[in-house]
Amino acid sequence: MSDALLACRDCGQLHRATNAVVPGHRLACSRCGRGLSRFPPVGLDTPLALATTALILFLLVNLYPIFLVSLEGRSGQDLLISGPLRLAEYGGPFAGLAMLVAGLSFVVPAVWLCLVVIVTALLLYPWSMLDVYLLGAYVAYTRLSDAVDTNVAAGGYALGALVLVQALLMITLGVRRVWDMIADPRHFAPQPGEPWVMCGACQLVVAAPAAGGTGGLPACPRCATPLEPRQPASLSATLALTTAALILYLPANLLAMMTVERFGRVNSYTILSGVNELAQLGMWPLALLVFFASVVVPMLKLASLGWFLYAIRRRSARWLRERTVLYRLIDSVGRWSNIDVFMVSILAASLQFGFLTTVDPEAGIVSFAAVVVLTMLATAIFDPRLMWDAARGDLR
Ligand SMILES: [Zn+2]
Ligand SMILES: [Zn+2]
């Protein structure tokens, strides 16, 4: 048996690993530090039990209200789906926002959970955002309890438990282990010195000529994804998505994200004044968290992507490892910027008490959601290995 071959998806370095399948071991790239392989120290029965638990909890989250609110004897409740339904009633761009919230908090998590049981949808995980939704719900809760009597209901507790179980599920499952159980990578390993290519989906390292498919691009022998040495059209698509996000960044921050009407008095909140109000309510840790997720992270993503594209253009070799680490950071924290989107969705659904207290979504939150989605797409489509190619001078 030959050693397992592992290619780094951030810098393209090829590694020969002799102990890739020792339970509990974690291998990292010697050049840029990216984790390459982690073989979970438990068998597959644990993730299977967790997936079943998660499915039951997901049902509870959707059947029972997350919050019960009451004001002056009138009461309301907030089901997971009532936010998107409420947003859809505003029509126009809010219908798009409703679909986004429903997709990230309901459709993708549901599909992801079902597919995990048949283990193919691991690539969807960044778009399954119940953990981010939970934090948005917590921010909404602090604002709700400031305005009306609020009690966390059965769905809310199930949501908390579901997020925990989902995190455990990802840790115990081990994406690479699942792929390697579907097909052993050593059957496809290239000979030393032979040209190779890494599958973008399942990260199998294949000998380049052995990858021949029928017509068009050769396909991965393990998962049938077309084999590309680098993400196709990565630079132009990243530039286009980043530019679009940059343009929407201004309305996202200048326009109101929601208006709150209380006893005829109307207050508008932008992203920033929402953070400010949390601070004035004395919720400092929460204010800092939302400030980081909604203000710092989008700015950091736009600046970083701009820097990466410029450095590639200049064929720069400076800060190469630091840039790669920064890429991993913005790629992993980007999804947390959706906290405010989920918060507005929950508030608009829960606070509909007419003259007493009503919350309406505004154009700013639509632009903001667009910035978050565009920068997430830009980061996903950007291929960090191109920075290493450019520094070596073999960028095509
Ligand atoms: Zn690397
Ligand atoms: Zn593959």
Side-chain angles (χ1 to χ4, degrees):
M1 277 284 192
S2 58
D3 300 334
L5 283 179
L6 300 165
C8 175
R9 69 189 310 169
D10 280 0
C11 74
Q13 177 83 289
L14 189 67
H15 300 272
R16 199 166 282 278
T18 47
N19 55 350
V21 288
V22 177
H25 267 214
R26 182 184 177 278
L27 300 178
C29 175
S30 57
R31 188 159 70 172
C32 79
R34 177 177 177 111
L36 293 173
S37 167
R38 185 182 51 80
F39 196 93
V42 293
L44 275 177
D45 44 349
T46 308
L48 189 64
L50 288 167
T52 317
T53 312
L55 269 177
I56 295 166
L57 287 169
F58 187 72
L59 234 99
L60 294 177
V61 169
N62 282 284
L63 288 177
Y64 293 98
I66 292 171
F67 298 123
L68 294 172
V69 295
S70 60
L71 183 65
E72 315 262 318
R74 299 165 60 184
S75 63
Q77 58 181 36
D78 170 57
L79 289 165
L80 192 77
I81 203 67
S82 45
L85 290 179
R86 179 75 206 145
L87 289 175
E89 286 172 21
Y90 290 86
F94 295 107
L97 191 66
M99 279 163 65
L100 180 76
V101 172
L104 300 181
S105 65
F106 177 72
V107 181
V108 177
V111 171
W112 182 80
L113 275 173
C114 293
L115 289 185
V116 158
V117 185
I118 52 171
V119 293
T120 48
L122 304 148
L123 295 169
L124 266 182
Y125 178 66
W127 296 92
S128 178
M129 294 197 194
L130 286 178
D131 44 1
V132 184
Y133 187 92
L134 179 68
L135 216 55
Y138 183 63
V139 178
Y141 173 76
T142 63
R143 287 171 168 280
L144 280 173
S145 48
D146 186 50
V148 293
D149 278 341
T150 307
N151 290 300
V152 178
Y157 291 114
L159 178 64
L162 175 56
V163 167
L164 188 70
V165 170
Q166 228 185 28
L168 287 174
L169 178 58
M170 278 311 280
I171 293 168
T172 56
L173 195 58
V175 178
R176 185 178 291 272
R177 164 170 66 178
V178 174
W179 279 119
D180 289 358
M181 287 174 93
I182 292 171
D184 192 322
R186 285 171 294 195
H187 296 317
F188 310 98
Q191 297 304 313
E194 201 180 359
W196 56 275
V197 60
M198 183 188 76
C199 170
C202 75
Q203 296 186 44
L204 180 69
V205 175
V206 208
T214 46
L217 281 165
C220 172
R222 184 158 70 178
C223 73
T225 304
L227 287 171
E228 307 261 13
R230 297 292 181 259
Q231 179 105 2
S234 173
L235 295 182
S236 50
T238 306
L239 181 64
L241 290 165
T242 310
T243 311
L246 195 63
I247 293 168
L248 284 167
Y249 187 75
L250 275 182
N253 283 282
L254 295 178
L255 298 180
M257 62 165 173
M258 64 177 180
T259 51
V260 180
E261 185 180 352
R262 296 195 74 179
F263 305 108
R265 214 161 51 89
V266 179
N267 274 321
S268 290
Y269 292 94
T270 60
I271 295 286
L272 214 54
S273 64
V275 173
N276 187 32
E277 203 201 41
L278 280 177
Q280 284 185 352
L281 288 173
M283 318 284 305
W284 273 103
L286 206 56
L288 276 174
L289 186 84
V290 176
F291 178 75
F292 187 77
S294 301
V295 182
V296 177
V297 168
M299 238 174 354
L300 182 72
K301 290 183 83 168
L302 288 172
S304 304
L305 288 167
W307 181 28
F308 300 159
L309 290 171
Y310 178 73
I312 287 176
R313 221 189 134 80
R314 293 284 313 269
R315 305 287 189 270
S316 167
R318 295 184 63 190
W319 306 103
L320 205 42
R321 193 187 159 99
E322 288 77 7
R323 267 187 271 145
T324 313
V325 172
L326 180 62
Y327 168 78
R328 278 202 289 279
L329 179 76
I330 61 169
D331 190 36
S332 59
V333 299
R335 51 207 294 279
W336 292 96
S337 299
N338 281 299
I339 291 176
D340 269 340
V341 176
F342 292 138
M343 185 218 34
V344 170
S345 164
I346 293 170
L347 288 186
S350 312
L351 293 180
Q352 294 294 337
F353 293 106
F355 179 73
L356 294 176
T357 296
T358 297
V359 170
D360 290 314
E362 299 294 338
I365 196 67
V366 181
S367 311
F368 182 78
V371 169
V372 176
V373 170
L374 286 169
T375 51
M376 276 190 75
L377 288 173
T379 315
I381 216 154
F382 178 74
D383 192 333
R385 290 170 296 181
L386 295 172
M387 298 194 290
W388 297 79
D389 293 347
R392 265 199 315 272
D394 52 2
L395 184 73
R396 275 156 302 152

